[in-house]
Amino acid sequence: MALGKVYVGGLPDDATSKEVEDAFYKFGRIYKIAGESCQGLLTGLVTAEEERLEITNCFATARSEPVLDDESAQPTNNQNEEVKQQEMLDMLRKFRNMNIDYELVGFYQVHPFGACFNQDLVDSLNEYQTSFKDGVVLIYDPVKTRQGQLSLKAYRLSVAALDLCAKGDWSPEAVKAVSLTYETMFEELPITIKNSRLTNVMIAELALAPGKVPEKTAAHLELGTKRSLEKCVRTMMSNIDEMNKSIGAFTKYTSEKQRHDANIFNMTQKREVENEQRKQRGEPPISFDDIKRLKGPTLQTKNGMLESFLASADTEALAEFCTKVTGENIAKLFLAEAIAIDKRDTKDRSTSSVSGR
Amino acid sequence: MSRFFREGDSDSDASTDSSSSDDEREVLPTTRGVIRRDFAYPSDDEVEEKRVVKAHKDRKYEELKMLIRKTRNARNVKDFSALYDHFEELCKGFEKMKPILRRQNLPIPRFYVRYLVELEDFVQETWKDKDAKKTLSKVNQNGLNRLHQRVKKHAEGHTEPSLDLLAAVKEFRENPDPVGYESPEEEEKPEDEAPGAESGDEDEAPKPKAKAQKDVDSDSDEWSSDTDSTTSESSIDLGEQQMEELRKYFLKKEFRDDLPDEKKKKKEKRDDKQRRKKISIVSEDEEEEGWTEVGKKDEKVVLFPPKTEITIELFIEKFNEIMAVRGRKTTNRKQHVRTLQELYNIAEEKKFGGGVLVKVLFSIVSALFELSVSISDSMDFQTWHKALAAIINLTDLLIESGVHLSIGITEEDENLTDPEKPYKVNGSILLSIQRLDTELTKILQNADCHSTDYIDKLKGEKDLCGLIDKVHSFVDERLDSGLFEKAEICKIYMLRIDHLYYKYADTIELPNGVTAHALMEKLCKQIYALDDEKRLRQRAMLCHVYFLALHDEWHRARDLMLMSHLQAIVDHSDVSTQILYNRTICQLGLCAFRHGFIREAHQGLSEIQNTQRAKELLAQGIAMRQHDRTVEQEKLERSRQVPYHMHINVELMECVYLICSMLLEIPHMASHEFELRKRLLSRSFHYQLKQNEKSSLVGPPENTREHVVAASRAMLAGDWKKCRDFIVNEKMNGKVWNLFRNSDTVKKMVIQRIQEESLRTYLLMYSTVYTTVSLTKLAALFELEEKHVHSIISKMIISEELSATLDEPTGCVMMHRVEPSRLQLLALHLTDKLHQLAEQNEQVIEPRGAGGRGYNGPGTWFSNRGGDRGDDKKKQQFQGGRGGDQRGKGNVWGGGSSRGGHQQGRRGGHEGGRPRN
């Protein structure tokens, strides 16, 4: 019996794999139940005349098993990783078979608060963008969406960043040379959502029939954003810690660099004077090679400036989320207040009207 | 060793064994004199001549012998090239020696001739042995060839009448030494070329002679100057050969058989002889004048020609002469001391008056100090004692005789002789005492502080104190005489203080009526008044503070400390003062603790304890960091170490510090529980606490540190009884509490503080659990008075640590709930972090100078940090209940926009991760 993938939709949110197994065991032995992950591959086409990338479909990859921190779980982790790799390959092979692998234009990921900037993302983007020039990543923010605003963002690495990625050199000098900042490292692309005609028809119909819209749609008026905010602030804090570290390293680097430069300068001058004397004496000058060969200090972080960039970008995203949410909350408070007053007023009016009668 | 040989030695070999020669003096003079006459010494100005002879001739002999030894080695391994080189050198050396020999009418040294003959034989032999020659390497063959010619030539080349080498060789060949005989080169066999005291043609002759000699030697009781004359008469002109003959004789018989026996006897009688020697010096006949030379050379004990009237002028002349050689390399220091001692005895005997005695005694003291070669090595304790005795002697002498000993008197102004005027001598007893003190410190530093040896040496300190005491009163009486310089006087006061300040008053022995406190105060005040250079003033003040702190006069000690402003200037003073300062603040901290001033104690001690190198800072141990230090630095550091008996108990200090930290920190921790970034009052305490937390298995506490940590945990849980039991128990009694003099009061104080702080901690930790608590309940729980509980809670409410109100009628505390929400806390935190980030960012643009970083110097002491600011913090936290969130954000934005822009301008903003919007 051939291995086959069966996609099951419409499961309740809290369905466990046990329940799924119970429901489906009659169809045959179940090898593995992989929950859907919010990440996967995107396929689409580049439309040259309109200068845009049209993403037409997405394929979810299997959810990765949670990585256990325990030392003893290392083999399990490795195994999980392997299985995942295999599934990915499997999927790509199937793409090949269907002859749509040329349509691969990127991948999508889910990140709460849209704080998606990490090393993995950069690596993957780099990979995609080198093989396919217009590769993008779509970031979906479930938190914001749950609060009533669909949040989708498309990013890709800027040319300069891609260049640095290819070289793998994130030293301060290299970064400065291409004048890259955390803001220009990623390019955010505007997104236009286009529904299919069928969907459009449905939406239009829904709009025309108000009774059919479910009652509970006012998610965007929810005031209880405390938990998400809390989480956001926590993440921000860890990012800031990271940045603190990077800055510390950078400070050290600059001071060392200064010292080094001064040192080189002194030595060069000395050598020049010496060479001048030698020239007068008719001896051949000593070359500057040994001075040039002196090694400058290196930034004591794993990936040079990249880390601080990522932390900065993340923090920015988080801060943006915070400000938006708090700003909206204030608006909502005003709204709620107004409604409350209004309600009281109407109540008053009604009572007065009653009394009036 | 036979005295007979010694005599010869002094002629040919400078390095004589002086130890055994004491007894032989009486015999020698005659022979000596005879030989001298034979060699036609210029008899006038003997001292001078003697020196020259010894230096030149003997040195040359030494040189030659050295070379001969080298050639022997070369000959043994048949290294002809080396042999040749050595031989060349030897010839040159001989060439150089010739004028000396000629001048002094000396024959060619026997050993040289013998050597030449041996060498010639050897070369001839090798020359003839063709096979052997062939086996030699080219270089060696070459050497042999040259040597062959050279040896022949050498002998022929010297045929001057006086120094006919050829003849000498010939003569030697006729009367060769026994085979295998070698001129002894070591001092053990100084019979080399011993000049016999008689004609050596017949073998029978020396025998009785030697016998007689021996008798005289061994039977020293009988010995008198009379015996000499018999031997001296028979002596006639001796050739080298006879001497050799004689030497052979002794070598074979006397040396082997009689020596051990003789030595034993000698040992027994040495003391006796030495005593007799002195007498003999004085009673010696004038005609024997010559022999004193020998005595003087071998041993400088014999100073004056016997029977001469030792006048004071002669004495001083002699003294100056002896002092002239002081410090020279060739001078035997021990000998020097002994000579001076002798001089002193003579001076005393002859009653030359105080001036001379003082002068000599002072020289003896200096000479004793000079015995140890390098300044970093410690003196021998025996020598130290001698020096101490000498100085005590000197002091007594000064007190008795009223001689003026001062560094103000120059050498020219000295008056040693004139009894009419007051005696004046250049020197300073005070400086000598100071030197003595430093030497004792060095001795103690080098002694093993856990041995009884240390205690023995420490007893010297007491004697020294007695001496200092004596000198102090001596100086006090003569303050106005102008004999002492200000600095000197300060020094003696300082010495007194140095030996006083670290001792408890009841252990100090003082003359009637004077208390240690009064004395200390008086001394210090005198120094404040007299000292010009501030250093001693600082030290005196520190000592005073230390002393006061030690005697629990906390307020006076603290006031003095604060008045001195030493915190500010101590950084600029020398290292030893800094060490003293460290010691003082530690002692002050301990004192504060005993008085229950926990915060002050903590501040005092934290400066030392927080650094992890308390021992180093107190100079009670060397840090283990071997690297980045040179040997000199380490030596220097070693020399700064405080002697063991002055140590402050580091373990006690640490324990006190930790207890203080516990009492301060635990309530603090309880109230700031939600803050992620803690403001640490004491890092090391937190470190200990964290270590304890980390450890997987917490056993019962072992050392004091663990006890305190365990107590801290108990206190954090609000269990004051457990906390108390951890702090006050048998183990801790032994290690900590019994070390306090008033341990019961201290313990009581600590327990009370534990109760109070536990109550505070409890309220802070568990205020959320209660809505109301009755004061009675709390009082019962912590076994405190209700009034006391009331006051504590009131204080906490006032300082806004606790948000509660006291309800008077019911006697309850009503808790209010105004803790910030989690989000608010987080926001506050974030603000903190961002603040930090902003600071760091600023540093990138403007690197902070070296001065601003880290340790700000001890000036921050007592700056009442902690308390107030901690309260501020709390206010912020509690008041900020609602506004905290907003405020946090505000900071974020404000800081972000201004700084972000700034930084972008400079660095392309690549690390400006500041949230902006």
Side-chain angles (χ1 to χ4, degrees):
Chain A
M1 187 178 149
L3 275 177
K5 237 180 229 171
V6 180
Y7 287 91
V8 182
L11 286 172
D13 277 350
D14 53 352
T16 60
S17 27
K18 179 88 179 118
E19 283 167 9
V20 178
E21 209 174 308
D22 285 349
F24 287 91
Y25 79 100
K26 49 193 161 190
F27 300 108
R29 204 170 69 84
I30 295 165
Y31 174 66
K32 186 189 169 190
I33 297 172
E36 189 192 355
S37 69
C38 280
Q39 61 178 9
L41 309 170
L42 298 173
T43 53
L45 289 165
V46 180
T47 47
E49 63 270 24
E50 287 176 63
E51 288 184 341
R52 66 182 186 199
L53 175 72
E54 203 167 288
I55 296 170
T56 54
N57 210 343
C58 69
F59 298 88
T61 53
R63 176 162 54 188
S64 54
E65 299 292 317
V67 176
L68 300 171
D69 261 341
D70 207 350
E71 189 70 32
S72 60
Q74 199 56 45
T76 336
N77 284 347
N78 287 345
Q79 202 185 344
N80 286 340
E81 187 64 23
E82 219 167 274
V83 170
K84 199 184 154 197
Q85 288 289 330
Q86 216 164 3
E87 276 172 22
M88 276 293 271
L89 281 175
D90 189 41
M91 185 174 261
L92 287 174
R93 203 163 40 237
K94 279 178 181 142
F95 275 23
R96 175 88 236 165
N97 289 343
M98 289 165 72
N99 201 20
I100 56 163
D101 55 346
Y102 69 93
E103 287 180 359
L104 215 54
V105 291
F107 59 104
Y108 71 93
Q109 274 182 345
V110 58
H111 283 281
F113 317 115
C116 55
F117 307 99
N118 54 30
Q119 187 70 44
D120 284 346
L121 183 93
V122 175
D123 288 348
S124 314
L125 261 184
N126 179 30
E127 216 168 281
Y128 273 95
Q129 279 183 273
T130 39
S131 60
F132 174 67
K133 205 162 90 358
D134 293 315
V136 287
V137 59
L138 266 187
I139 303 294
Y140 166 69
D141 176 4
V143 181
K144 214 164 180 187
T145 311
R146 209 177 299 137
Q147 284 171 2
Q149 297 163 322
L150 177 63
S151 167
L152 275 177
K153 276 178 181 159
Y155 291 105
R156 69 175 171 212
L157 286 173
S158 65
V159 182
L162 200 59
D163 202 31
L164 288 182
C165 268
K167 280 189 217 150
D169 176 19
W170 289 93
S171 66
E173 286 79 18
V175 170
K176 201 180 167 198
V178 293
S179 66
L180 196 68
T181 72
Y182 76 98
E183 286 164 311
T184 56
M185 185 173 161
F186 292 99
E187 286 171 353
E188 191 182 345
L189 307 167
I191 293 182
T192 322
I193 301 175
K194 272 192 144 183
N195 287 326
S196 66
R197 279 160 212 255
L198 214 56
T199 321
N200 280 339
V201 169
M202 189 180 79
I203 288 171
E205 228 165 77
L206 281 175
L208 284 173
K212 281 175 189 165
V213 183
E215 286 292 305
K216 245 179 98 185
T217 50
H220 58 282
L221 288 179
E222 182 85 41
L223 266 168
T225 50
K226 202 165 143 191
R227 273 189 56 205
S228 58
L229 265 182
E230 223 175 274
K231 206 170 169 196
C232 175
V233 173
R234 259 183 214 290
T235 343
M236 200 159 8
M237 264 197 273
S238 65
N239 270 320
I240 289 193
D241 277 345
E242 193 74 23
M243 272 163 65
N244 258 334
K245 250 187 262 165
S246 313
I247 288 191
F250 186 78
T251 320
K252 203 167 150 229
Y253 168 77
T254 37
S255 68
E256 267 171 20
K257 175 87 181 159
Q258 274 171 359
R259 209 173 314 136
H260 176 76
D261 286 350
N263 200 10
I264 293 276
F265 180 73
N266 283 344
M267 282 170 77
T268 321
Q269 278 211 323
K270 223 186 253 170
R271 183 62 55 85
E272 265 166 12
V273 171
E274 201 182 327
N275 276 349
E276 198 73 26
Q277 285 175 348
R278 286 176 82 93
K279 215 197 235 165
Q280 282 173 5
R281 274 180 282 157
E283 295 170 50
I286 308 171
S287 77
F288 290 87
D289 282 353
D290 55 332
I291 295 173
K292 276 178 201 151
R293 239 179 280 131
L294 278 180
K295 264 207 170 150
T298 47
L299 192 58
Q300 291 303 315
T301 50
K302 217 172 22 188
N303 257 323
M305 301 299 293
L306 183 59
E307 256 169 56
S308 54
F309 280 0
L310 293 173
S312 306
D314 252 4
T315 317
E316 194 190 20
L318 291 167
E320 203 171 321
F321 174 82
C322 277
T323 41
K324 236 181 198 161
V325 169
T326 43
E328 276 167 11
N329 274 2
I330 288 168
K332 283 178 207 168
L333 276 175
F334 279 122
L335 197 66
E337 202 178 25
I339 289 168
I341 291 165
D342 187 44
K343 257 194 180 162
R344 207 172 52 216
D345 282 357
T346 50
K347 214 177 170 189
D348 285 352
R349 215 178 300 139
S350 63
T351 48
S352 66
S353 65
V354 168
S355 65
R357 267 182 213 157
Chain B
M1 188 168 303
S2 161
R3 78 171 19 272
F4 211 53
F5 299 140
R6 311 226 76 281
E7 167 52 19
D9 268 9
S10 56
D11 208 16
S12 63
D13 196 342
S15 49
T16 53
D17 188 354
S18 58
S19 67
S20 62
S21 62
D22 308 348
D23 42 335
E24 278 125 352
R25 189 154 307 104
E26 273 82 354
V27 193
L28 297 181
T30 38
T31 51
R32 176 83 202 142
V34 171
I35 291 169
R36 166 95 47 87
R37 250 165 266 132
D38 287 346
F39 292 157
Y41 273 64
S43 57
D44 51 359
D45 197 5
E46 278 161 357
V47 183
E48 280 304 297
E49 177 61 11
K50 196 69 205 160
R51 263 186 215 143
V52 171
V53 169
K54 178 187 167 184
H56 259 181
K57 187 192 69 176
D58 292 341
R59 212 187 306 134
K60 288 290 171 213
Y61 275 23
E62 280 293 291
E63 262 175 43
L64 284 189
K65 282 184 183 171
M66 193 60 154
L67 282 168
I68 289 173
R69 215 172 306 156
K70 272 189 198 158
T71 50
R72 282 224 173 86
N73 288 340
R75 201 173 68 192
N76 285 342
V77 297
K78 300 207 168 167
D79 183 353
F80 286 97
S81 64
L83 193 59
Y84 178 72
D85 291 344
H86 291 315
F87 182 71
E88 284 286 276
E89 268 178 64
L90 198 61
C91 292
K92 266 180 217 154
F94 181 71
E95 230 27 77
K96 272 185 205 155
M97 202 175 73
K98 256 172 31 187
I100 301 164
L101 292 177
R102 205 170 305 139
R103 196 170 60 221
Q104 294 175 4
N105 241 347
L106 285 169
I108 297 165
R110 179 85 172 169
F111 66 93
Y112 187 67
V113 177
R114 183 172 59 246
Y115 165 72
L116 277 185
V117 172
E118 275 172 13
L119 186 66
E120 205 179 324
D121 288 349
F122 175 69
V123 171
Q124 283 297 340
E125 220 173 275
T126 326
W127 191 252
K128 280 169 194 153
D129 190 353
K130 291 264 165 30
D131 294 338
K133 226 169 107 186
K134 263 174 209 162
T135 57
L136 291 172
S137 72
K138 226 183 198 139
V139 186
N140 276 342
Q141 270 184 22
N142 217 351
L144 181 62
N145 288 341
R146 281 187 292 168
L147 198 62
H148 184 70
Q149 292 159 359
R150 189 82 178 80
V151 169
K152 263 189 203 161
K153 255 191 222 156
H154 178 65
E156 284 156 8
H158 299 277
T159 48
E160 304 115 278
S162 59
L163 293 165
D164 194 347
L165 198 56
L166 203 60
V169 170
K170 239 180 233 161
E171 194 187 358
F172 184 85
R173 284 202 184 287
E174 282 158 27
N175 299 298
D177 285 333
V179 178
Y181 175 81
E182 292 188 353
S183 283
E185 285 126 12
E186 306 308 317
E187 289 170 26
E188 286 85 37
K189 298 183 189 172
E191 75 275 25
D192 193 9
E193 295 138 281
E198 59 196 338
S199 54
D201 283 20
E202 298 95 13
D203 272 356
E204 292 88 342
K207 256 188 205 161
K209 191 79 246 220
K211 280 263 156 68
Q213 204 68 48
K214 244 206 300 172
D215 286 347
V216 173
D217 276 357
S218 48
D219 192 1
S220 50
D221 287 312
E222 289 297 305
W223 115 342
S224 71
S225 50
D226 299 3
T227 41
D228 314 338
S229 51
T230 54
T231 45
S232 59
E233 260 137 59
S234 61
S235 52
I236 31 163
D237 199 352
L238 285 178
E240 287 285 314
Q241 194 212 330
Q242 281 92 342
M243 288 184 201
E244 199 62 46
E245 212 63 68
L246 185 68
R247 185 158 51 79
K248 252 186 283 167
Y249 172 81
F250 283 125
L251 181 74
K252 277 182 183 155
K253 302 217 172 125
E254 233 177 42
F255 242 65
R256 307 256 155 91
D257 307 330
D258 307 330
L259 250 178
D261 192 7
E262 206 177 345
K263 259 187 192 161
K264 226 183 272 168
K265 271 190 208 159
K266 244 192 246 169
K267 253 182 214 158
E268 285 164 15
K269 284 167 190 164
R270 185 163 297 157
D271 294 359
D272 189 40
K273 281 173 198 166
Q274 244 150 13
R275 230 173 297 127
R276 285 160 40 74
K277 205 189 328 165
K278 256 184 235 162
I279 304 161
S280 64
I281 296 162
V282 193
S283 62
E284 207 69 63
D285 278 353
E286 278 229 78
E287 56 184 75
E288 302 261 345
E289 210 184 317
W291 69 262
T292 48
E293 282 305 320
V294 179
K296 206 154 114 348
K297 198 172 101 189
D298 286 353
E299 180 165 293
K300 294 185 176 165
V301 180
V302 185
L303 296 160
F304 293 100
K307 292 283 160 112
T308 39
E309 188 62 41
I310 303 177
T311 62
I312 197 156
E313 284 77 21
L314 194 63
F315 182 85
I316 288 172
E317 199 179 296
K318 191 81 202 164
F319 174 74
N320 287 337
E321 183 191 307
I322 289 166
M323 288 311 282
V325 298
R326 166 192 178 185
R328 290 215 189 131
K329 249 187 197 163
T330 48
T331 317
N332 183 345
R333 293 194 183 82
K334 273 189 187 153
Q335 202 67 260
H336 186 63
V337 172
R338 230 174 288 163
T339 319
L340 286 169
Q341 197 80 48
E342 204 56 48
L343 270 178
Y344 178 72
N345 289 342
I346 292 169
E348 208 168 32
E349 208 172 288
K350 302 267 173 188
K351 303 215 170 31
F352 280 150
V356 175
L357 281 179
V358 167
K359 181 79 183 167
V360 177
L361 202 49
F362 189 72
S363 312
I364 289 175
V365 171
S366 330
L368 278 170
F369 283 135
E370 278 158 17
L371 271 184
S372 55
V373 187
S374 87
I375 199 127
S376 56
D377 292 346
S378 75
M379 233 168 142
D380 184 27
F381 190 57
Q382 260 72 39
T383 322
W384 185 84
H385 246 300
K386 268 187 217 157
L388 176 72
I391 293 183
I392 289 177
N393 219 343
L394 180 62
T395 317
D396 290 341
L397 197 67
L398 285 175
I399 292 172
E400 273 170 33
S401 62
V403 175
H404 291 181
L405 180 70
S406 164
I407 39 172
I409 302 165
T410 55
E411 299 254 3
E412 289 79 40
D413 292 341
E414 280 185 356
N415 173 23
L416 303 176
T417 47
D418 192 353
E420 307 295 303
K421 287 181 251 167
Y423 291 118
K424 284 180 180 173
V425 180
N426 171 32
S428 166
I429 187 165
L430 303 180
L431 291 177
S432 311
I433 291 176
Q434 202 183 17
R435 177 77 200 272
L436 199 64
D437 179 55
T438 34
E439 289 299 339
L440 181 66
T441 313
K442 267 190 243 163
I443 288 170
L444 289 173
Q445 274 167 357
N446 287 349
D448 175 13
C449 55
H450 301 295
S451 62
T452 48
D453 176 47
Y454 189 84
I455 296 169
D456 289 340
K457 286 177 177 170
L458 199 54
K459 281 174 189 155
E461 200 254 359
K462 206 178 162 197
D463 301 337
L464 182 64
C465 285
L467 172 65
I468 292 172
D469 199 4
K470 199 189 272 176
V471 173
H472 174 212
S473 53
F474 167 73
V475 170
D476 264 355
E477 282 161 25
R478 290 163 182 73
L479 265 187
D480 305 324
S481 63
L483 278 180
F484 306 105
E485 294 198 351
K486 252 191 196 172
E488 270 188 308
I489 300 171
C490 284
K491 260 171 202 151
I492 189 74
Y493 286 147
M494 200 58 225
L495 272 179
R496 194 84 203 275
I497 291 172
D498 274 340
H499 285 276
L500 203 63
Y501 79 95
Y502 62 93
K503 293 174 184 160
Y504 279 115
D506 44 13
T507 61
I508 305 170
E509 288 167 31
L510 286 168
N512 43 345
V514 188
T515 64
H517 286 74
L519 179 65
M520 193 73 189
E521 186 141 349
K522 197 178 130 224
L523 288 169
C524 289
K525 278 188 176 151
Q526 260 157 338
I527 288 196
Y528 303 153
L530 280 172
D531 181 44
D532 300 328
E533 329 163 26
K534 288 206 177 121
R535 179 176 176 270
L536 285 182
R537 204 185 302 173
Q538 280 176 22
R539 285 188 72 91
M541 205 169 301
L542 285 171
C543 288
H544 199 178
V545 173
Y546 188 103
F547 183 80
L548 289 172
L550 193 68
H551 293 85
D552 276 343
E553 296 195 35
W554 155 249
H555 287 288
R556 282 187 65 198
R558 185 199 55 185
D559 292 348
L560 192 59
M561 188 72 182
L562 290 179
M563 273 195 306
S564 67
H565 295 292
L566 272 169
Q567 303 94 302
I569 49 176
V570 77
D571 272 348
H572 309 291
S573 51
D574 58 329
V575 179
S576 68
T577 308
Q578 284 180 9
I579 288 168
L580 186 60
Y581 174 81
N582 289 341
R583 284 166 59 78
T584 307
I585 57 170
C586 284
Q587 200 55 253
L588 206 51
L590 289 178
C591 177
F593 178 73
R594 288 194 294 263
H595 283 260
F597 298 107
I598 301 297
R599 192 174 295 282
E600 284 81 353
H602 180 263
Q603 278 169 20
L605 294 176
S606 65
E607 234 174 85
I608 304 300
Q609 282 292 340
N610 251 346
T611 52
Q612 305 284 330
R613 16 171 236 163
K615 277 196 175 163
E616 203 181 331
L617 287 175
L618 291 174
Q620 298 186 359
I622 306 265
M624 279 300 129
R625 293 169 289 120
Q626 255 90 24
H627 55 275
D628 69 26
R629 252 193 320 181
T630 58
V631 182
E632 283 84 41
Q633 275 173 319
E634 202 161 330
K635 241 186 203 167
L636 206 64
E637 193 166 323
R638 244 170 235 293
S639 72
R640 286 196 205 108
Q641 293 297 302
V642 175
Y644 184 67
H645 64 284
M646 295 167 74
H647 278 196
I648 299 174
N649 188 332
V650 178
E651 198 186 354
L652 171 73
M653 231 169 64
E654 191 192 3
C655 180
V656 167
Y657 170 71
L658 286 176
I659 289 176
C660 289
S661 304
M662 175 183 83
L663 292 174
L664 295 172
E665 192 86 333
I666 296 295
H668 185 262
M669 271 171 73
S671 68
H672 291 230
E673 198 200 353
F674 294 110
E675 253 181 284
L676 291 185
R677 184 175 151 228
K678 288 185 184 105
R679 290 164 36 78
L680 303 181
L681 282 181
S682 59
R683 200 165 300 130
S684 65
F685 176 71
H686 271 274
Y687 177 76
Q688 302 289 357
L689 215 56
K690 215 170 255 173
Q691 285 297 100
N692 180 273
E693 244 170 82
K694 263 190 219 161
S695 64
S696 47
L697 184 72
V698 182
E702 293 283 338
N703 52 25
T704 54
R705 196 181 299 158
E706 283 170 16
H707 269 101
V708 179
V709 172
S712 306
R713 304 235 129 250
M715 187 188 262
L716 201 55
D719 190 346
W720 77 273
K721 277 186 186 157
K722 215 167 159 190
C723 175
R724 177 198 60 189
D725 292 344
F726 275 128
I727 294 290
V728 181
N729 57 25
E730 273 308 304
K731 241 182 198 167
M732 292 289 274
N733 270 347
K735 274 184 180 160
V736 181
W737 303 117
N738 291 349
L739 298 176
F740 290 115
R741 282 194 307 166
N742 44 356
S743 65
D744 283 336
T745 39
V746 175
K747 266 195 270 187
K748 221 188 258 165
M749 179 277 296
V750 169
I751 290 172
Q752 203 198 329
R753 290 304 297 251
I754 287 176
Q755 283 170 320
E756 288 171 15
E757 298 302 332
S758 299
L759 172 63
R760 274 159 51 84
T761 315
Y762 183 79
L763 284 174
L764 290 168
M765 287 290 280
Y766 300 110
S767 63
T768 47
V769 180
Y770 291 106
T771 43
T772 52
V773 208
S774 80
L775 287 178
T776 338
K777 179 93 200 284
L778 284 176
L781 205 58
F782 288 92
E783 291 179 19
L784 284 165
E785 277 177 54
E786 214 167 299
K787 239 169 87 190
H788 203 103
V789 175
H790 187 275
S791 88
I792 290 174
I793 293 176
S794 303
K795 256 188 224 161
M796 286 172 77
I797 292 172
I798 289 167
S799 62
E800 293 181 11
E801 280 177 303
L802 188 71
S803 53
T805 42
L806 281 164
D807 189 43
E808 219 47 73
T810 51
C812 280
V813 194
M814 296 192 304
M815 303 293 176
H816 299 197
R817 238 148 265 182
V818 281
E819 295 115 61
S821 71
R822 253 205 142 65
L823 184 61
Q824 286 162 342
L825 279 176
L826 282 172
L828 277 174
H829 257 149
L830 184 65
T831 329
D832 271 3
K833 282 205 178 198
L834 286 171
H835 188 69
Q836 208 180 327
L837 184 71
E839 259 173 32
Q840 292 231 19
N841 235 345
E842 229 153 70
Q843 265 191 52
V844 173
I845 296 157
E846 235 172 297
R848 218 190 287 175
R853 188 182 289 263
Y855 184 62
N856 287 327
T860 50
W861 205 58
F862 280 141
S863 63
N864 212 1
R865 56 190 174 197
D868 290 351
R869 265 188 270 164
D871 292 342
D872 274 349
K873 195 80 201 169
K874 194 139 338 198
K875 252 180 249 167
Q876 204 179 32
Q877 189 190 330
F878 277 88
Q879 289 176 337
R882 203 140 38 115
D885 191 5
Q886 294 293 355
R887 183 140 40 104
K889 289 265 169 300
N891 273 358
V892 174
W893 298 335
S897 50
S898 66
R899 230 164 321 264
H902 195 12
Q903 165 216 9
Q904 262 181 356
R906 284 262 320 220
R907 301 225 146 247
H910 41 61
E911 68 282 296
R914 195 150 299 279
R916 302 187 307 151
N917 41 323

